[in-house]
Amino acid sequence: EFDNAHPAVLAMVNDALASDAMAFPDGMIEKHEDFLCVASANTFGRGPDRTYAARQRGDAATWDRFSMLVIEYDHALERILCERTGADSAVTREVIRYVRGLRKNAEEHSMPVVVGQRASVAMCRMITAGLPVEFAADSRCRRGLSDQDWAKLTGDVRPIDVRRIKV
């Protein structure tokens, strides 16, 4: 994650991108004609925010060398990862529906929380292991949110219906 790199690394990458060659201990290496640099980041180079507090701002010259693409969660991948936990298909469906609802509410309310694919996968694992659904939701999604923020996050999202799943 490019915006999580040490500032010295960001400066080195900027130099490498600006030049046709780069110095290495064994000499100068020319940039290949097909060279591409792909980097990921969470903050578009704007530095820390409420969700990603430890990110580097970087300078405009470096970030200007990149085109920015927003990549949304891959729903098919999320489903496959949940299925691979060994969770019953009803568990997978309910967890994914629930987590995607929370994700949507977090975005709509600009909440500084991440309800990602790791939440879906971990909840499927926990429920399959016999842990209570409420525990799974609390430990993977709520994670210490105040009652007010939790109410905003859950909003109109129907809780996981334990009657629909068998563990």
Side-chain angles (χ1 to χ4, degrees), residues 49-98:
D49 61 21
R50 290 174 53 201
T51 306
Y52 300 101
R55 299 304 161 149
Q56 300 296 327
R57 180 167 175 77
D59 66 36
T62 302
W63 289 103
D64 189 48
R65 298 182 191 289
F66 292 90
S67 296
M68 302 289 181
L69 303 170
V70 175
I71 300 175
E72 301 294 336
Y73 288 105
D74 184 329
H75 287 184
L77 176 62
E78 183 173 34
R79 180 183 47 76
I80 290 167
L81 293 173
C82 286
E83 289 171 350
R84 288 189 178 169
T85 66
D88 178 86
S89 62
V91 170
T92 298
R93 278 192 308 276
E94 278 291 294
V95 166
I96 288 175
R97 176 199 53 77
Y98 181 73

Coordinates of all heavy atoms in Angstrom, one line a residue, residues 49-98:
D49 N -6.6 10.0 7.4 CA -8.0 10.5 7.6 C -8.5 9.7 8.8 O -7.8 9.0 9.5 CB -8.8 10.3 6.3 CG -8.9 8.8 5.9 OD1 -8.7 7.9 6.7 OD2 -9.3 8.6 4.7
R50 N -9.8 9.8 9.0 CA -10.4 9.2 10.2 C -10.3 7.7 10.2 O -10.2 7.0 11.2 CB -11.8 9.6 10.4 CG -11.9 11.1 10.8 CD -13.3 11.6 10.8 NE -14.2 10.8 11.7 CZ -15.5 10.8 11.5 NH1 -16.1 11.6 10.6 NH2 -16.2 10.1 12.3
T51 N -10.3 7.1 9.0 CA -10.2 5.7 8.8 C -8.8 5.1 8.7 O -8.5 4.1 9.3 CB -11.0 5.2 7.6 OG1 -12.3 5.8 7.7 CG2 -11.1 3.7 7.5
Y52 N -8.0 5.8 8.0 CA -6.6 5.4 7.8 C -5.6 6.4 8.4 O -5.0 7.2 7.7 CB -6.3 5.2 6.3 CG -7.3 4.2 5.7 CD1 -8.4 4.6 5.0 CD2 -7.0 2.8 5.9 CE1 -9.2 3.6 4.5 CE2 -7.9 1.9 5.4 CZ -9.0 2.3 4.7 OH -9.8 1.3 4.2
A53 N -5.5 6.4 9.7 CA -4.8 7.5 10.5 C -3.3 7.4 10.3 O -2.6 8.4 10.5 CB -5.1 7.4 11.9
A54 N -2.7 6.3 9.9 CA -1.2 6.2 9.8 C -0.7 6.3 8.4 O 0.4 5.8 8.1 CB -0.8 4.9 10.5
R55 N -1.5 6.9 7.5 CA -1.0 6.9 6.1 C -0.2 8.2 5.8 O -0.2 9.2 6.5 CB -2.2 7.0 5.2 CG -3.1 5.7 5.3 CD -2.3 4.5 5.1 NE -2.9 3.3 5.6 CZ -2.8 2.1 5.1 NH1 -2.1 1.9 4.0 NH2 -3.4 1.1 5.7
Q56 N 0.7 8.1 4.8 CA 1.5 9.1 4.4 C 0.9 10.0 3.3 O 0.2 9.5 2.5 CB 2.8 8.6 3.8 CG 3.6 7.7 4.7 CD 4.2 8.5 5.9 OE1 4.5 9.7 5.8 NE2 4.2 7.8 7.0
R57 N 1.1 11.3 3.5 CA 0.5 12.2 2.5 C 1.2 12.1 1.1 O 0.5 12.1 0.1 CB 0.5 13.7 3.0 CG -0.1 14.7 2.1 CD -0.3 16.0 2.8 NE -0.7 17.0 1.8 CZ -2.0 17.1 1.4 NH1 -2.9 16.2 1.8 NH2 -2.3 18.0 0.5
G58 N 2.5 12.0 1.1 CA 3.2 12.0 -0.2 C 3.1 13.4 -0.8 O 2.4 14.3 -0.4
D59 N 4.0 13.6 -1.8 CA 3.9 14.9 -2.5 C 3.2 14.8 -3.8 O 3.0 13.7 -4.4 CB 5.3 15.5 -2.7 CG 6.2 14.7 -3.6 OD1 5.7 14.2 -4.6 OD2 7.4 14.6 -3.3
A60 N 2.8 16.0 -4.3 CA 1.9 16.0 -5.5 C 2.7 15.5 -6.7 O 2.0 14.9 -7.6 CB 1.5 17.5 -5.7
A61 N 4.0 15.7 -6.8 CA 4.7 15.2 -8.0 C 4.7 13.7 -8.1 O 4.6 13.2 -9.2 CB 6.2 15.7 -7.9
T62 N 4.8 13.0 -6.9 CA 4.7 11.6 -7.0 C 3.3 11.1 -7.4 O 3.1 10.3 -8.3 CB 5.1 11.0 -5.6 OG1 6.4 11.4 -5.2 CG2 5.0 9.5 -5.6
W63 N 2.3 11.6 -6.7 CA 0.9 11.2 -7.0 C 0.5 11.6 -8.4 O -0.4 10.9 -9.0 CB 0.0 11.7 -5.9 CG 0.2 11.0 -4.6 CD1 0.8 11.5 -3.5 CD2 -0.2 9.7 -4.3 NE1 0.9 10.6 -2.5 CE2 0.3 9.5 -2.9 CE3 -0.9 8.7 -4.9 CZ2 0.0 8.2 -2.3 CZ3 -1.1 7.5 -4.3 CH2 -0.6 7.3 -3.0
D64 N 1.1 12.6 -8.9 CA 0.7 13.1 -10.3 C 1.2 12.1 -11.3 O 0.7 12.0 -12.5 CB 1.3 14.4 -10.6 CG 0.8 15.0 -11.9 OD1 -0.5 15.0 -12.1 OD2 1.6 15.5 -12.7
R65 N 2.0 11.2 -11.0 CA 2.5 10.1 -11.9 C 1.6 9.0 -12.0 O 1.8 8.1 -12.8 CB 3.9 9.7 -11.5 CG 4.9 10.8 -11.4 CD 6.3 10.3 -11.1 NE 7.2 11.4 -10.8 CZ 7.7 12.2 -11.7 NH1 7.4 12.0 -13.0 NH2 8.5 13.1 -11.3
F66 N 0.5 8.9 -11.2 CA -0.4 7.8 -11.2 C -1.8 8.2 -11.6 O -2.2 9.4 -11.4 CB -0.5 7.2 -9.8 CG 0.7 6.5 -9.3 CD1 1.7 7.3 -8.6 CD2 0.9 5.2 -9.6 CE1 2.9 6.6 -8.2 CE2 2.1 4.6 -9.1 CZ 3.1 5.3 -8.5
S67 N -2.5 7.3 -12.3 CA -3.9 7.5 -12.5 C -4.6 6.7 -11.4 O -4.2 5.7 -10.9 CB -4.3 6.8 -13.9 OG -3.7 7.5 -14.9
M68 N -5.7 7.3 -10.9 CA -6.4 6.8 -9.8 C -7.6 6.0 -10.2 O -8.4 6.5 -11.0 CB -6.9 7.9 -8.8 CG -5.7 8.7 -8.3 SD -4.7 7.8 -7.1 CE -3.5 9.1 -6.7
L69 N -7.7 4.8 -9.7 CA -8.9 3.9 -10.0 C -9.5 3.5 -8.7 O -8.8 3.2 -7.7 CB -8.5 2.6 -10.7 CG -7.7 2.8 -12.1 CD1 -7.2 1.5 -12.5 CD2 -8.7 3.4 -13.1
V70 N -10.8 3.6 -8.6 CA -11.5 3.1 -7.4 C -11.9 1.6 -7.7 O -12.6 1.4 -8.7 CB -12.7 3.9 -7.0 CG1 -13.5 3.3 -5.9 CG2 -12.3 5.3 -6.7
I71 N -11.5 0.7 -6.8 CA -11.8 -0.7 -7.0 C -12.7 -1.1 -5.9 O -12.3 -1.1 -4.7 CB -10.5 -1.6 -7.1 CG1 -9.7 -1.1 -8.3 CG2 -10.9 -3.0 -7.2 CD1 -8.4 -1.8 -8.4
E72 N -13.9 -1.4 -6.2 CA -14.9 -1.8 -5.2 C -14.7 -3.3 -4.8 O -14.0 -4.0 -5.5 CB -16.3 -1.7 -5.8 CG -16.7 -0.3 -6.3 CD -16.8 0.7 -5.2 OE1 -17.0 0.4 -4.0 OE2 -16.5 1.9 -5.5
Y73 N -15.4 -3.7 -3.8 CA -15.3 -5.1 -3.3 C -15.8 -6.0 -4.5 O -16.8 -5.7 -5.1 CB -16.1 -5.3 -2.1 CG -15.4 -4.7 -0.9 CD1 -15.9 -3.5 -0.3 CD2 -14.3 -5.3 -0.3 CE1 -15.3 -3.0 0.8 CE2 -13.7 -4.7 0.8 CZ -14.2 -3.6 1.4 OH -13.6 -3.0 2.5
D74 N -15.1 -7.1 -4.7 CA -15.5 -8.1 -5.6 C -16.5 -9.0 -5.0 O -16.1 -9.9 -4.2 CB -14.3 -8.8 -6.1 CG -14.5 -9.8 -7.2 OD1 -15.7 -10.4 -7.3 OD2 -13.6 -10.1 -8.0
H75 N -17.8 -8.9 -5.3 CA -18.8 -9.7 -4.7 C -18.7 -11.2 -4.9 O -18.9 -12.0 -4.0 CB -20.2 -9.2 -5.1 CG -20.6 -7.9 -4.5 ND1 -21.8 -7.3 -4.7 CD2 -19.9 -7.0 -3.7 CE1 -21.9 -6.2 -4.0 NE2 -20.7 -6.0 -3.4
A76 N -18.3 -11.6 -6.1 CA -18.1 -13.0 -6.5 C -16.9 -13.5 -5.6 O -17.1 -14.7 -5.1 CB -17.8 -13.2 -7.9
L77 N -15.9 -12.8 -5.5 CA -14.7 -13.3 -4.7 C -15.2 -13.4 -3.2 O -14.8 -14.4 -2.5 CB -13.6 -12.3 -4.8 CG -12.3 -12.6 -3.9 CD1 -11.8 -14.0 -4.3 CD2 -11.3 -11.5 -4.1
E78 N -15.9 -12.4 -2.7 CA -16.4 -12.5 -1.3 C -17.2 -13.7 -1.1 O -17.0 -14.4 -0.1 CB -17.2 -11.2 -1.0 CG -17.6 -11.1 0.4 CD -18.3 -9.8 0.7 OE1 -19.0 -9.2 -0.2 OE2 -18.2 -9.3 1.9
R79 N -18.1 -14.0 -2.0 CA -18.9 -15.2 -1.9 C -18.1 -16.5 -1.9 O -18.2 -17.4 -1.0 CB -19.9 -15.3 -3.0 CG -20.9 -16.5 -2.9 CD -21.8 -16.6 -4.1 NE -21.2 -16.4 -5.4 CZ -20.4 -17.3 -6.1 NH1 -20.2 -18.5 -5.5 NH2 -19.9 -17.0 -7.2
I80 N -17.1 -16.6 -2.8 CA -16.2 -17.7 -2.9 C -15.4 -17.9 -1.6 O -15.3 -19.0 -1.0 CB -15.3 -17.7 -4.1 CG1 -16.1 -17.8 -5.4 CG2 -14.2 -18.7 -4.0 CD1 -15.4 -17.4 -6.6
L81 N -14.9 -16.8 -1.1 CA -14.1 -16.9 0.1 C -14.9 -17.3 1.3 O -14.4 -18.1 2.2 CB -13.4 -15.5 0.4 CG -12.3 -15.0 -0.5 CD1 -11.9 -13.6 -0.2 CD2 -11.2 -16.0 -0.5
C82 N -16.1 -16.9 1.4 CA -17.0 -17.3 2.5 C -17.4 -18.8 2.3 O -17.4 -19.5 3.3 CB -18.3 -16.5 2.5 SG -18.0 -14.8 3.1
E83 N -17.6 -19.2 1.1 CA -18.0 -20.6 0.9 C -16.8 -21.5 1.2 O -17.0 -22.6 1.8 CB -18.3 -20.8 -0.6 CG -19.7 -20.3 -1.0 CD -19.9 -20.3 -2.5 OE1 -19.0 -20.6 -3.3 OE2 -21.1 -20.0 -2.9
R84 N -15.6 -21.1 1.0 CA -14.4 -21.9 1.3 C -14.1 -22.0 2.8 O -13.3 -22.8 3.2 CB -13.2 -21.3 0.6 CG -13.2 -21.5 -0.9 CD -11.9 -21.2 -1.5 NE -12.0 -21.5 -3.0 CZ -11.1 -21.1 -3.8 NH1 -10.1 -20.4 -3.5 NH2 -11.3 -21.4 -5.1
T85 N -14.9 -21.3 3.6 CA -14.7 -21.5 5.1 C -15.4 -22.7 5.5 O -15.2 -23.2 6.7 CB -15.4 -20.3 5.8 OG1 -16.8 -20.3 5.6 CG2 -14.8 -19.0 5.5
G86 N -16.2 -23.4 4.7 CA -16.9 -24.5 5.0 C -18.3 -24.2 5.6 O -19.0 -25.1 6.0
A87 N -18.6 -22.9 5.6 CA -19.9 -22.5 6.1 C -21.1 -23.1 5.2 O -20.9 -23.2 4.0 CB -20.0 -21.0 6.2
D88 N -22.1 -23.4 5.9 CA -23.4 -23.8 5.2 C -23.8 -22.7 4.2 O -23.5 -21.5 4.5 CB -24.4 -24.0 6.3 CG -25.8 -24.4 5.7 OD1 -26.0 -25.6 5.4 OD2 -26.6 -23.5 5.5
S89 N -24.4 -23.0 3.1 CA -24.8 -22.0 2.1 C -25.7 -20.9 2.7 O -25.7 -19.8 2.4 CB -25.4 -22.6 0.9 OG -26.5 -23.3 1.2
A90 N -26.6 -21.3 3.7 CA -27.5 -20.4 4.3 C -26.7 -19.4 5.2 O -27.0 -18.2 5.2 CB -28.5 -21.1 5.1
V91 N -25.7 -19.9 5.8 CA -24.8 -19.0 6.6 C -24.1 -18.0 5.7 O -24.1 -16.8 6.0 CB -23.7 -19.8 7.4 CG1 -22.7 -18.9 8.1 CG2 -24.4 -20.7 8.5
T92 N -23.6 -18.5 4.6 CA -22.9 -17.6 3.7 C -23.8 -16.5 3.2 O -23.5 -15.4 3.2 CB -22.3 -18.5 2.5 OG1 -21.3 -19.4 3.0 CG2 -21.7 -17.6 1.5
R93 N -25.0 -16.9 2.7 CA -26.0 -15.9 2.2 C -26.3 -14.9 3.3 O -26.3 -13.7 3.0 CB -27.2 -16.6 1.7 CG -27.1 -17.2 0.3 CD -28.5 -17.6 -0.2 NE -29.3 -18.5 0.7 CZ -29.1 -19.8 0.8 NH1 -28.3 -20.4 0.0 NH2 -29.9 -20.5 1.6
E94 N -26.7 -15.3 4.5 CA -27.1 -14.4 5.5 C -25.9 -13.5 5.9 O -26.1 -12.3 6.1 CB -27.5 -15.2 6.8 CG -29.0 -15.7 6.7 CD -30.0 -14.5 6.7 OE1 -30.1 -13.8 7.7 OE2 -30.6 -14.3 5.7
V95 N -24.7 -14.0 6.1 CA -23.6 -13.2 6.5 C -23.3 -12.1 5.4 O -23.1 -11.0 5.7 CB -22.3 -14.0 6.8 CG1 -21.1 -13.2 6.9 CG2 -22.6 -14.8 8.1
I96 N -23.2 -12.6 4.1 CA -22.9 -11.6 3.1 C -24.0 -10.6 2.9 O -23.7 -9.4 2.8 CB -22.7 -12.4 1.7 CG1 -21.4 -13.2 1.8 CG2 -22.8 -11.5 0.5 CD1 -21.1 -14.0 0.6
R97 N -25.3 -10.9 3.0 CA -26.3 -9.9 3.0 C -26.2 -8.9 4.1 O -26.2 -7.7 3.9 CB -27.7 -10.6 3.1 CG -28.9 -9.6 3.2 CD -30.1 -10.2 3.7 NE -30.0 -10.9 5.0 CZ -29.9 -10.2 6.2 NH1 -29.9 -8.9 6.2 NH2 -29.8 -10.9 7.3
Y98 N -25.9 -9.4 5.3 CA -25.7 -8.5 6.5 C -24.5 -7.6 6.3 O -24.7 -6.4 6.5 CB -25.6 -9.4 7.7 CG -25.4 -8.7 9.0 CD1 -26.5 -8.1 9.6 CD2 -24.2 -8.7 9.7 CE1 -26.4 -7.4 10.8 CE2 -24.1 -8.0 10.9 CZ -25.2 -7.4 11.4 OH -25.1 -6.7 12.6

